[in-house]
Amino acid sequence: DGGITQSPKYLFRKEGQNVTLSCEQNLNHDAMYWYRQDPGQGLRLIYYSQIVNDFQKGDIAEGYSVSREKKESFPLTVTSAQKNPTAFYLCASSIQGHGATEAFFGQGTRLTVV
Amino acid sequence: AQSVSQHNHHVILSEAASLELGCNYSYGGTVNLFWYVQYPGQHLQLLLKYFSGDPLVKGIKGFEAEFIKSKFSFNLRKPSVQWSDTAEYFCAVMGYSSASKIIFGSGTRLSIRP
């Protein structure tokens, strides 16, 4: 079945460590997104990418990094510079422009800093 | 810049009451609009979407939304809510261009009293 796979579902990190969250899609979508969800703040855009080897910062990119080496993969690294990394992270993909679609979401990764 | 405002943070209704959740957006061009729902412990699901055509769109589970371009609004409605509608609801906007991102509002938590 087509969809978006995020792994792991739960992740624990010690302070000062970088950690990478995986996101893979087999929907052949060009656009991919990373959001952070915190209670009362909705989904805030961290980074997005519309094409391989290109990505743009969202509203809260500080302390995060991404890569887009393949169309189907858009991993997010939470670096030690992110001051408050404990959150629920959602990856999404969509078709943009002509024939645009809604965003399709993965199941999310809950990151806890211990 | 794109932005979305959801003015109701928490709405409490009794079963069979009518529902209207507000959503206003800001974007200087043609938009695609969405409502997503997140039931407790579940991932985000699309309720309905507007791309073009009839500004009154119908979605799943008896929900509908009306796009009023002059008011930059896309309010969600349901004539009679059920206890199972308890969830968090997110409005989102995507500007209609190849460089657009999908921006979400802060969400409205809906609690239905049985």
Side-chain angles (χ1 to χ4, degrees):
Chain A
D1 281 357
I4 300 178
T5 303
Q6 288 187 245
S7 61
K9 191 172 180 181
Y10 298 97
L11 190 56
F12 295 87
R13 188 195 90 176
K14 291 183 180 178
E15 279 195 43
Q17 287 181 337
N18 292 356
V19 64
T20 297
L21 282 58
S22 169
C23 178
E24 303 277 330
Q25 55 102 356
N26 59 5
L27 300 167
N28 200 33
H29 288 170
D30 286 312
M32 295 188 74
Y33 314 82
W34 274 105
Y35 295 90
R36 171 182 169 139
Q37 186 176 15
D38 296 283
Q41 297 194 60
L43 277 69
R44 292 182 290 166
L45 184 63
I46 305 172
Y47 269 97
Y48 64 110
S49 167
Q50 289 150 330
I51 197 168
V52 174
N53 292 324
D54 190 35
F55 47 83
Q56 289 79 41
K57 292 182 180 180
D59 299 321
I60 55 164
E62 187 176 347
Y64 299 98
S65 66
V66 292
S67 63
R68 187 85 188 276
E69 296 176 3
K70 299 186 295 182
K71 187 176 185 178
E72 55 271 20
S73 178
F74 191 42
L76 173 75
T77 297
V78 184
T79 76
S80 56
Q82 169 48 234
K83 292 184 172 62
N84 185 21
T86 294
F88 189 55
Y89 292 87
L90 285 162
C91 179
S93 71
S94 74
I95 299 172
Q96 289 193 325
H98 181 68
T101 67
E102 67 272 24
F104 292 79
F105 283 87
Q107 297 277 7
T109 293
R110 187 165 297 281
L111 173 64
T112 303
V113 174
V114 296
Chain B
Q2 291 168 234
S3 68
V4 180
S5 295
Q6 291 182 246
H7 308 295
N8 313 107
H9 297 294
H10 188 194
V11 172
I12 303 173
L13 295 172
S14 298
E15 275 195 312
S18 65
L19 170 72
E20 181 160 4
L21 300 182
C23 173
N24 288 91
Y25 68 92
S26 126
Y27 182 74
T30 304
V31 292
N32 298 326
L33 296 158
F34 313 92
W35 275 98
Y36 283 82
V37 61
Q38 189 174 38
Y39 297 103
Q42 296 189 28
H43 64 283
L44 278 160
Q45 302 175 37
L46 182 72
L47 264 183
L48 46 78
K49 60 187 177 185
Y50 171 80
F51 279 74
S52 64
D54 189 344
L56 182 63
V57 291
K58 295 192 184 297
I60 60 171
K61 305 187 181 187
F63 286 91
E64 65 178 31
E66 185 174 13
F67 171 46
I68 303 180
K69 191 175 180 181
S70 60
K71 294 185 178 179
F72 297 92
S73 71
F74 191 55
N75 292 355
L76 181 71
R77 301 194 292 247
K78 185 170 184 178
S80 176
V81 294
Q82 301 171 311
W83 178 80
S84 58
D85 293 323
T86 296
E88 190 150 18
Y89 294 80
F90 297 94
C91 182
V93 61
M94 177 168 73
Y96 192 73
S97 78
S98 60
S100 291
K101 51 195 175 183
I102 302 176
I103 297 297
F104 284 78
S106 57
T108 297
R109 185 157 64 99
L110 176 64
S111 299
I112 306 298
R113 291 188 292 248

